Amino acid sequence: MKTAVVAIGGNAILMAGEEATLENQMANLRRTCAYLARMIKNGYDMVLTHGNGPQVGNVLLQNELCRYDVPAMPLEVCVAESQGQMGYMIQQAMTEAVRSEGLAKVVTCVLTRVIVDSNDPAFDCPTKPIGPYYSEEEAIELRETKGWTLVEDLRRGGYRRVVPSPEPVAIVEKSAIRRLVFGGEFQPEIVIAAGGGGIPVLVENGVYKGVEAVVDKDLAACVLACDIQEKLLILLTDVDYVYLNYGTENAIPLHNPTTEDLERFESEGHFPPGTMGPKIKAAVRFLRHGGERVIITSPGLLENALDGRAGTQIIR
Amino acid sequence: MKTAVVAIGGNAILMAGEEATLENQMANLRRTCAYLARMIKNGYDMVLTHGNGPQVGNVLLQNELCRYDVPAMPLEVCVAESQGQMGYMIQQAMTEAVRSEGLAKVVTCVLTRVIVDSNDPAFDCPTKPIGPYYSEEEAIELRETKGWTLVEDLRRGGYRRVVPSPEPVAIVEKSAIRRLVFGGEFQPEIVIAAGGGGIPVLVENGVYKGVEAVVDKDLAACVLACDIQEKLLILLTDVDYVYLNYGTENAIPLHNPTTEDLERFESEGHFPPGTMGPKIKAAVRFLRHGGERVIITSPGLLENALDGRAGTQIIR
């Protein structure tokens, strides 16, 4: 039995500048899911995880704008809402795609909480911008009334809330996810899990307490893959390879780097924190914690990448 | 192994007139979940399903009010969002409650689609009011631009959208839910599923197409229970018993009615369509399709009801 944890980026669902309609998101998803369905046709089962940046931003914006009519929910509840919204869209698009390949798999979405550590230094230093832009007056009020951290965005000329982005420690629903994808006597399901990096919770006296933070989806995918003892982690993005000197005329695609190579390149500043950085961190961590193989590539190269003929391949 | 499908009403989560804050909803849920945890302590595993009336209404309202800033999602996507939001709240409250009973069960929420039939007569005759109130001018515009059906609510003096409430036919994720709650070699999970009656979808050429409708949560609970071959269905509400002449001085609680009794009383008009009617219909249908026992009572009487000492008990 071949299985993988596959992470798809926000661009696979909503491209920059595109209007966040259901139609646009479904059209993008259908394109991406066609490649994933091909992989399933080729004998793989999968746990699929996804980013939620634009979508949770919109849920936050709705909560903000309507706060006098509907009580605003804290960030972790907005993440849960985005998992519902996006999980549904993805399961619909995936069902269509696997059906086109002649398969009748059930695509199941498990609402997923991710445990983070209250001692994580990220809680002292929120860095992840999220939600709408505010005026200086609004920013001052939000700091006072809600205790938010807001920073000025000089490019856009407004203030924006920043929230902590702590490291994921463990997936609460790991046993359920494992049971669904490793079928045993049953037909395995295609499982959608840990959407948007998961709903962040702290553990306090054996129960879970939601916390206003966001978890990087690639790092969450790594923890999920480790927790369910998966061996193959696939991080899909909008570039075909991991590059050195990305975006310059000296850009060099990496085909088979070692984890040591990647750590050296990272320390040399080749992988920006907001884009390739978390993927490299997730890849190295996965291979040091029981994982066997990581592929970083674009959806269009997935089939060739699985055969070892494309994409950045990192082996333990 | 003892298991049950348990449906909790909207009142268990948000009481009429209460502000829909996270705190209020968690406080209500903690009360209800304490009774459910007691049942789990007494040896039951469960699939928990829930209403979503006020919550999906608020998501719709947010979508409406912010429609110029964030593209409004159709109703079925709002239902999916409410499953995410409420599934998270319920799993958090249930985890606390089972922990208080000294148990360490994982509470897992499965996003759930429910198949409805495009030939269901409900699609020709939308009756379920949903979302905010509109002025006459707005109502006319919405009829023209969106094709909605809006009806005047004379009590409140405004117009409201009505949507179809078709009969649930089958639960798409039934195999996943069954696998999680009937553990086999694994420890079973407490599963939250079919929230708000499920995300309604039509089947077209083997794929699912979302449809703007809402499904009654008690009928969805019945179909869910049948689909996973559950034998015990528990419908919790804010009254202790099913009553004849409810709300009058001649009110008579029903202790052990037969399905034939219930059908006769229903034809005599004892069970209003919006409240007890769907529960009675769900109970009768469940017992005619493989179910063995239905309990209709309030959360506070659950423990006694399971011992047969309280609540309305209906046996096949």
Side-chain angles (χ1 to χ4, degrees):
Chain A
M1 185 179 56
K2 298 187 288 185
T3 62
V5 168
V6 181
I8 59 177
N11 278 355
I13 305 163
L14 192 66
M15 289 187 273
E18 226 179 0
E19 223 197 343
T21 60
L22 178 61
E23 291 70 26
N24 286 342
Q25 297 185 71
M26 287 301 291
N28 293 329
L29 274 170
R30 285 188 182 105
R31 253 192 312 277
T32 303
C33 290
Y35 295 114
L36 298 175
R38 192 91 208 122
M39 176 174 166
I40 292 163
K41 176 81 169 179
N42 288 336
Y44 285 87
D45 289 305
M46 68 175 64
V47 179
L48 188 56
T49 182
H50 61 87
N52 72 343
Q55 293 81 4
V56 76
N58 281 339
V59 173
L60 275 171
L61 182 58
Q62 289 175 326
N63 271 268
E64 274 297 295
L65 294 177
C66 302
R67 64 188 179 279
Y68 300 114
D69 293 286
V70 176
M73 288 288 149
L75 177 55
E76 73 275 15
V77 180
C78 295
V79 173
E81 283 187 53
S82 78
Q83 284 191 357
Q85 182 194 91
M86 301 185 70
Y88 168 67
M89 294 191 287
I90 297 169
Q91 66 185 181
Q92 293 284 89
M94 272 303 284
T95 303
E96 289 177 28
V98 295
R99 191 77 201 179
S100 293
E101 294 287 350
L103 306 169
K105 295 255 179 191
V106 177
V107 186
T108 300
C109 175
V110 174
L111 209 66
T112 310
R113 291 165 290 179
V114 59
I115 295 171
V116 297
D117 183 345
S118 60
N119 294 318
D120 193 304
F123 286 109
D124 297 324
C125 179
T127 55
K128 178 86 184 165
I130 192 155
Y133 287 81
Y134 299 98
S135 70
E136 189 172 355
E137 298 74 48
E138 288 174 317
I140 291 170
E141 195 203 323
L142 288 165
R143 270 191 201 119
E144 284 178 5
T145 57
K146 299 205 173 186
W148 289 359
T149 306
L150 291 106
V151 296
E152 193 170 3
D153 183 329
L154 292 170
R155 282 173 314 160
R156 289 277 298 262
Y159 286 79
R160 222 166 158 210
R161 181 180 181 193
V162 286
V163 296
S165 186
E167 302 268 327
V169 175
I171 300 292
V172 177
E173 289 78 9
K174 60 188 171 188
S175 63
I177 296 164
R178 188 174 157 76
R179 200 186 302 182
L180 292 176
V181 76
F182 296 103
E185 59 183 306
F186 302 97
Q187 162 147 343
E189 317 255 335
I190 301 166
V191 181
I192 301 164
I199 307 163
V201 295
L202 303 171
V203 182
E204 290 184 1
N205 305 317
V207 302
Y208 306 111
K209 191 163 172 295
V211 60
E212 296 211 83
V214 291
V215 174
D216 179 84
K217 73 136 193 346
D218 293 310
L219 295 179
C222 162
V223 170
L224 171 61
C226 293
D227 276 2
I228 65 171
Q229 295 151 50
E230 182 55 68
K231 300 300 172 194
L232 171 59
L233 174 63
I234 300 175
L235 304 175
L236 296 179
T237 179
D238 48 1
V239 293
D240 299 340
Y241 292 85
V242 178
Y243 285 86
L244 299 182
N245 310 312
Y246 181 68
T248 73
E249 57 186 18
N250 298 319
I252 303 164
L254 296 175
H255 292 263
N256 294 289
T258 65
T259 53
E260 290 73 24
D261 292 338
L262 290 174
E263 287 186 313
R264 193 176 72 250
F265 297 142
E266 166 133 66
S267 71
E268 291 167 7
H270 284 283
F271 311 129
T275 56
M276 197 50 81
K279 287 181 180 47
I280 299 301
K281 198 166 162 184
V284 171
R285 190 178 298 181
F286 177 63
L287 296 172
R288 298 246 164 94
H289 288 83
E292 291 178 358
R293 182 183 180 198
V294 176
I295 297 172
I296 303 177
T297 192
S298 61
L301 288 189
L302 179 56
E303 191 166 7
N304 282 335
L306 283 165
D307 291 339
R309 292 181 284 119
T312 298
Q313 308 266 345
I314 317 143
I315 312 280
R316 182 170 63 189
Chain B
M1 186 179 53
K2 297 187 287 185
T3 62
V5 169
V6 181
I8 59 177
N11 279 354
I13 305 163
L14 192 66
M15 288 186 272
E18 226 178 2
E19 223 197 343
T21 61
L22 178 61
E23 292 70 26
N24 285 343
Q25 297 186 72
M26 287 301 291
N28 293 330
L29 275 170
R30 286 188 182 105
R31 254 192 312 277
T32 303
C33 289
Y35 296 115
L36 298 174
R38 192 91 208 123
M39 176 174 166
I40 292 161
K41 175 80 170 182
N42 288 336
Y44 286 87
D45 288 306
M46 67 175 65
V47 179
L48 188 56
T49 183
H50 60 88
N52 73 343
Q55 293 82 5
V56 77
N58 280 339
V59 173
L60 275 171
L61 183 58
Q62 289 175 327
N63 272 268
E64 275 296 296
L65 294 177
C66 302
R67 64 188 178 277
Y68 300 114
D69 294 286
V70 176
M73 288 289 150
L75 178 53
E76 73 274 16
V77 180
C78 296
V79 173
E81 283 186 53
S82 78
Q83 284 191 359
Q85 182 194 89
M86 300 184 72
Y88 168 65
M89 292 192 288
I90 297 170
Q91 67 185 177
Q92 292 284 89
M94 272 303 284
T95 304
E96 290 178 25
V98 295
R99 191 77 201 179
S100 293
E101 294 287 350
L103 305 169
K105 294 255 178 191
V106 177
V107 185
T108 299
C109 175
V110 175
L111 209 65
T112 310
R113 290 165 291 178
V114 60
I115 295 171
V116 296
D117 183 345
S118 60
N119 295 315
D120 193 304
F123 286 109
D124 297 323
C125 179
T127 54
K128 178 84 183 167
I130 192 155
Y133 286 82
Y134 299 98
S135 69
E136 190 173 354
E137 296 75 49
E138 289 173 316
I140 291 169
E141 196 203 322
L142 288 166
R143 271 191 201 119
E144 284 177 6
T145 57
K146 300 207 172 183
W148 289 359
T149 307
L150 291 106
V151 295
E152 193 172 1
D153 183 329
L154 293 170
R155 282 174 313 161
R156 291 276 300 262
Y159 286 78
R160 220 166 160 209
R161 182 181 181 192
V162 285
V163 296
S165 187
E167 302 267 326
V169 175
I171 300 292
V172 177
E173 289 78 8
K174 60 188 172 189
S175 64
I177 296 164
R178 188 172 156 77
R179 199 185 305 182
L180 292 176
V181 74
F182 296 103
E185 59 183 305
F186 302 97
Q187 163 146 344
E189 317 254 334
I190 301 166
V191 181
I192 301 164
I199 307 164
V201 295
L202 303 171
V203 183
E204 289 184 2
N205 306 317
V207 302
Y208 305 111
K209 191 163 171 295
V211 61
E212 296 211 84
V214 290
V215 174
D216 180 84
K217 73 136 194 342
D218 292 310
L219 295 179
C222 162
V223 170
L224 171 62
C226 293
D227 275 2
I228 65 171
Q229 296 152 48
E230 181 54 68
K231 299 300 173 194
L232 171 59
L233 175 63
I234 300 175
L235 305 175
L236 296 179
T237 180
D238 49 1
V239 293
D240 298 341
Y241 291 85
V242 179
Y243 284 87
L244 298 182
N245 310 312
Y246 181 68
T248 72
E249 58 186 16
N250 297 320
I252 303 165
L254 296 175
H255 292 265
N256 295 289
T258 64
T259 53
E260 291 74 22
D261 292 338
L262 290 175
E263 287 187 312
R264 193 174 73 250
F265 297 142
E266 166 134 65
S267 70
E268 292 168 6
H270 283 284
F271 311 129
T275 55
M276 197 52 81
K279 288 182 178 49
I280 300 300
K281 198 167 163 184
V284 171
R285 189 177 297 181
F286 177 63
L287 296 172
R288 298 245 163 93
H289 289 83
E292 291 179 358
R293 182 184 180 197
V294 177
I295 297 171
I296 303 176
T297 192
S298 61
L301 287 190
L302 179 58
E303 192 166 9
N304 282 335
L306 283 165
D307 291 340
R309 292 181 283 117
T312 297
Q313 309 265 345
I314 317 144
I315 312 281
R316 183 170 63 188

